[in-house]
Amino acid sequence: MASLTVRSPDGKVRSVSLHKRITSIGRGPDNDVQLEDPGVPDSALHVTFDGSRYEVGSLGATFQVNGKRRDAHALSTGDVVRVGATELVFAREDAPRAPPPPPSTPPREVMRTSNPDSHTAELPGVPGRELLLLRRLTAFSERLLGLYDVERILESLMDEAIEVTRADKGFLILMESGEPRVKVARNVSRENIEDAVEKDKISDSIIAKVVKEQKPLIVADALDSPEFNKSESVVNLRVHSVMCVPLMHKGDLFGVIYVGNDRLVNRFEPKSADMLTIFAAQASLILQNAMLVNDLKLDNTELRRKLEDQRYGDIVGACQGMRDVYKRIDKIAPTDISVLITGETGTGKELIAREIHRRSPRAKGPFITINCGAIPENLLESELFGHVKGAFTGAVATKAGKFQAAIGGTLFLDEIGEMPLQLQVKLLRALQEKIVYKVGDNRGEPVDIRVVAATNKVLEDEVKKNTFREDLYYRLNVVTLKLPPLRERGEDVVVLGRFFLQKYAREFNSKARGFTPSATVSMRKYGWPGNIRELENRLKKAVVLADKPLLGPDDLDLKPENLEPIMPLLQAKEEFQKRYINEVLARNNGNRTKTAKDLGVDPRTIFRHLEKLEAEKSGRPLPPEEGDELL
């Protein structure tokens, strides 16, 4: 056996055995001999052994042998190889022990080195080679435990298996759907063997035996073996020495390690199989760990993809009411059907409209918004349909309207309940004919748009009051999306609060990072008449003025007197009863008898309920009547 004595720039000396057929040298941690020298590249040299002589060659580094620059050199005992500021002294005899310790060190203590290949200590009863292999296995395991790239692990496993067994080549085979599949094929030079499967580099008959019996197998000379010499793969490949061991996990075989030599017989001994079996057991743990992590990464990637697909733009919330809205969006977005979005002011109607557009086939087209309640009546028609030059005072040029701007996309009519009656007629005509007329022009223009409208009014009531056209209502209200108010969205108020807090803390570089427990309680209790818009504005103000990391109720102006008062239980029951009867009456189009039947009460209860409503509206008291039936 040969060795290298390594003299580092800092004066440290250590001895390394050259037991491998190829020994890599460099500054990188993956080298067999790692040099602590900043002047040496990660991969510097390699020492090869062909069975009779050792030769040093360059992997890109400049080196000298005995003071002369070389590209390659056959080594002899005493040769001094210099790379960077490090000296490597070659010796053909057995590797010497490390230099004796200084006098202050106890005589029995031996200096340890960072290289597991050096003979720095002996274990009682363990031969030198076996001890060396165990150390290599330990170092190899430590190196791979933090590596989760399955492909790199498989290649490293096979390289190490070839080194441990002194084979010429090796194959790592994994079971897929009950069939063995070659995953890695490597040679002694740490190179991939191309087309390993197509060119039949391995013996299927030997692998089949190991898979079936799940036991290690050594074949001294396959061509001379009665069991395998008639196998077509053995004859064609002229296989000699083969060793194959199973890879097991929780008692189940999931692959095999196959190493071989096609030139020598009796290459492998029983103790080599024992060592490879130990190696395979350790390799199974490392490989299973890597495969598990890889599966988790794939699962995480898939989960992120699904979450991305299910995102609703800037919409935040997961209460049941919002989930119902999301489900309806999924169904109506791919169509061109007209949608009416209803809900109190500040509930996020425009965000919903944008999400319908984003998920529709018109997503690449424009999304045009117009607030029908924010534009004066005399200008609203021009804003919607455009005008020609000279159509009215100030019309100095022809201008297209919102309908023309939205061609190929979506037109969002916000606050549609505020539109004047006269203009509602022209809007209905445009929606029915899909043709618009500029103010002052009698030539129609076809428009291909989708219309989404929104209002915080109850349009059925507006129709009854003759302030909104019934025919336009039914034209717009093909599908209704009703957004729940913030006070009915439960935990969403806290989720939205955290969202706005993080958003504006980054924007304004604020100290605020969260809420105190009392602040979250107050947020849940408050009625939020302004809904999400009010919450956002309060959070923005609190973040700007914050001088501490946690915001309290006072920072959000949620003082006790501002919170909704707690009603007595009896009053709460009465309020619920009143709302519920009204809902059932509306569902039955005001039919009192059917409502009483649906609710399972006497019709007098419904009549009494309506009398109370009339009394409340008129302001006159209504004395309680005996025999009133309560729900």
Side-chain angles (χ1 to χ4, degrees):
M1 182 180 292
S3 67
L4 286 175
T5 300
V6 183
R7 301 181 185 276
S8 301
D10 58 3
K12 292 182 180 179
V13 178
R14 57 191 170 102
S15 182
V16 181
S17 298
L18 300 178
H19 60 85
K20 297 173 63 173
R21 307 188 72 164
I22 300 177
T23 302
S24 58
I25 303 171
R27 185 162 51 88
D30 292 334
N31 288 284
D32 301 306
V33 181
Q34 185 180 3
L35 305 182
E36 298 177 359
D37 185 346
V40 175
D42 286 347
S43 297
L45 312 173
H46 64 88
V47 176
T48 59
F49 178 57
D50 62 3
S52 60
R53 70 172 188 168
Y54 288 86
E55 183 174 302
V56 62
S58 173
L59 290 175
T62 301
F63 70 95
Q64 296 178 348
V65 180
N66 300 327
K68 295 183 180 180
R69 183 172 177 176
R70 304 286 189 186
D71 293 322
H73 180 77
L75 292 168
S76 302
T77 298
D79 282 347
V80 179
V81 180
R82 185 176 183 86
V83 56
T86 302
E87 286 187 354
L88 309 170
V89 181
F90 177 78
R92 187 63 189 265
E93 63 273 11
D94 288 344
R97 293 184 178 276
S104 59
T105 306
R108 287 185 172 272
E109 187 174 345
V110 181
M111 181 183 296
R112 294 187 177 272
T113 70
S114 60
N115 193 305
D117 292 344
S118 61
H119 290 281
T120 60
E122 299 292 340
L123 293 179
V126 181
R129 173 164 172 73
E130 281 73 5
L131 177 60
L132 184 65
L133 292 176
L134 287 172
R135 284 178 175 158
R136 287 176 57 85
L137 180 58
T138 301
F140 170 74
S141 300
E142 291 175 351
R143 191 166 69 247
L144 290 192
L145 277 175
L147 186 64
Y148 301 116
D149 185 331
V150 174
E151 184 176 346
R152 286 182 58 192
I153 286 180
L154 294 179
E155 291 179 353
S156 297
L157 286 175
M158 283 319 306
D159 290 341
E160 197 71 12
I162 293 171
E163 294 286 353
V164 167
T165 59
R166 297 181 178 179
D168 288 336
K169 60 186 177 182
F171 303 85
L172 195 143
I173 300 150
L174 298 181
M175 305 301 293
E176 291 184 353
S177 302
E179 296 294 326
R181 296 285 183 267
V182 177
K183 292 299 180 181
V184 176
R186 303 280 281 180
N187 60 27
V188 71
S189 300
R190 299 194 173 200
E191 299 170 337
N192 288 319
I193 301 175
E194 302 297 334
D195 303 325
V197 180
E198 289 79 358
K199 294 183 179 179
D200 292 329
K201 298 289 184 182
I202 58 177
S203 171
D204 293 339
S205 56
I206 294 174
I207 292 173
K209 181 177 177 65
V210 174
V211 169
K212 180 180 179 181
E213 299 181 358
Q214 299 185 8
K215 294 180 180 179
L217 176 65
I218 295 179
V219 182
D221 186 355
L223 286 172
D224 193 41
S225 168
E227 186 176 2
F228 302 112
N229 60 9
K230 293 188 169 106
S231 169
E232 183 178 348
S233 60
V234 170
V235 173
N236 291 340
L237 295 172
R238 300 191 61 78
V239 177
H240 287 290
S241 300
V242 174
M243 183 162 55
C244 190
V245 299
L247 289 169
M248 308 293 294
H249 179 66
K250 295 182 178 180
D252 296 325
L253 181 141
F254 72 92
V256 297
I257 292 178
Y258 173 107
V259 294
N261 190 299
D262 296 342
R263 294 173 296 173
L264 301 177
V265 299
N266 294 315
R267 180 60 170 165
F268 307 115
E269 303 173 355
K271 62 181 180 181
S272 298
D274 293 340
M275 185 57 62
L276 187 58
T277 301
I278 296 173
F279 175 85
Q282 187 71 8
S284 297
L285 294 175
I286 296 172
L287 184 56
Q288 287 293 332
N289 182 51
M291 293 171 69
L292 177 61
V293 172
N294 196 53
D295 288 344
L296 289 174
K297 286 183 177 179
L298 290 175
D299 290 345
N300 189 43
T301 301
E302 180 67 12
L303 181 60
R304 287 181 179 274
R305 186 190 66 78
K306 289 182 179 179
L307 288 174
E308 186 65 26
D309 290 343
Q310 294 176 4
R311 282 188 61 209
Y312 278 82
D314 295 328
I315 305 172
V316 178
C319 70
Q320 188 57 51
M322 292 305 297
R323 288 180 186 175
D324 293 340
V325 170
Y326 300 156
K327 289 178 182 177
R328 303 202 84 180
I329 290 176
D330 289 337
K331 293 179 179 179
I332 65 178
T335 71
D336 255 357
I337 199 168
S338 296
V339 181
L340 178 64
I341 305 172
T342 65
E344 297 178 8
T345 181
T347 50
K349 294 186 286 294
E350 183 173 344
L351 288 179
I352 295 295
R354 288 185 181 276
E355 195 60 26
I356 293 173
H357 172 73
R358 191 180 75 85
R359 292 174 176 266
S360 74
R362 299 176 177 270
K364 294 183 179 179
F367 179 84
I368 305 298
T369 301
I370 182 169
N371 190 321
C372 301
I375 301 173
E377 181 178 347
N378 59 336
L379 296 178
L380 183 56
E381 182 179 358
S382 172
E383 284 293 318
L384 281 172
F385 308 123
H387 61 260
V388 296
K389 181 179 180 180
F392 51 84
T393 304
V396 295
T398 298
K399 177 185 174 183
K402 299 294 185 181
F403 268 81
Q404 293 91 334
I407 291 177
T410 302
L411 176 63
F412 177 52
L413 301 173
D414 198 9
E415 302 300 344
I416 188 69
E418 304 293 339
M419 181 174 284
L421 270 172
Q422 183 181 357
L423 197 53
Q424 291 178 26
V425 178
K426 296 182 179 179
L427 175 61
L428 177 62
R429 179 182 178 186
L431 295 178
Q432 288 177 332
E433 300 177 0
K434 294 186 177 180
I435 295 176
V436 297
Y437 296 84
K438 289 187 176 77
V439 177
D441 195 358
N442 57 6
R443 291 172 300 176
E445 299 176 61
V447 289
D448 174 26
I449 64 173
R450 178 183 192 168
V451 174
V452 177
T455 181
N456 61 359
K457 291 186 175 183
V458 180
L459 291 187
E460 294 95 328
D461 294 343
E462 300 302 314
V463 170
K464 293 176 182 178
K465 293 188 292 186
N466 294 321
T467 58
F468 198 85
R469 291 184 61 92
E470 185 176 14
D471 47 4
L472 178 59
Y473 169 68
Y474 288 118
R475 169 63 63 177
L476 293 172
N477 187 30
V478 179
V479 174
T480 301
L481 284 178
K482 185 174 182 180
L483 303 188
L486 187 56
R487 62 181 172 275
E488 295 179 5
R489 290 179 57 176
E491 198 63 23
D492 278 1
V493 65
V494 179
V495 175
L496 283 161
R498 293 194 182 109
F499 172 78
F500 290 129
L501 174 63
Q502 294 173 4
K503 174 183 177 181
Y504 291 117
R506 286 193 301 267
E507 181 177 338
F508 300 122
N509 194 25
S510 171
K511 295 180 180 179
R513 293 293 181 268
F515 300 105
T516 64
S518 57
T520 56
V521 171
S522 298
M523 289 167 64
R524 294 188 186 99
K525 287 183 177 180
Y526 183 57
W528 299 106
N531 292 292
I532 300 173
R533 185 180 295 116
E534 180 185 3
L535 174 65
E536 182 177 8
N537 289 337
R538 288 194 185 224
L539 258 299
K540 187 185 295 187
K541 171 190 171 185
V543 166
V544 170
L545 300 179
D547 54 6
K548 54 185 181 296
L550 296 181
L551 300 179
D554 290 343
D555 298 308
L556 301 173
D557 292 329
L558 296 178
K559 299 175 183 178
E561 58 268 23
N562 294 335
L563 302 180
E564 290 290 328
I566 298 175
M567 289 189 293
L569 183 59
L570 181 59
Q571 183 182 350
K573 287 181 178 180
E574 290 176 353
E575 290 292 330
F576 170 76
Q577 178 174 300
K578 184 190 301 182
R579 288 197 305 270
Y580 192 60
I581 293 176
N582 288 338
E583 289 177 8
V584 179
L585 274 168
R587 185 182 300 181
N588 291 327
N589 296 318
N591 189 318
R592 306 172 187 181
T593 304
K594 188 174 188 310
T595 298
K597 183 179 179 181
D598 289 343
L599 293 176
V601 299
D602 190 283
R604 288 177 298 175
T605 302
I606 306 302
F607 286 105
R608 182 65 172 169
H609 167 77
L610 295 174
E611 288 177 357
K612 288 181 179 179
L613 292 181
E614 287 297 325
E616 289 176 2
K617 289 180 181 179
S618 62
R620 59 182 175 81
L622 181 68
E625 180 181 314
E626 277 189 40
D628 278 352
E629 183 179 347
L630 297 175
L631 292 177

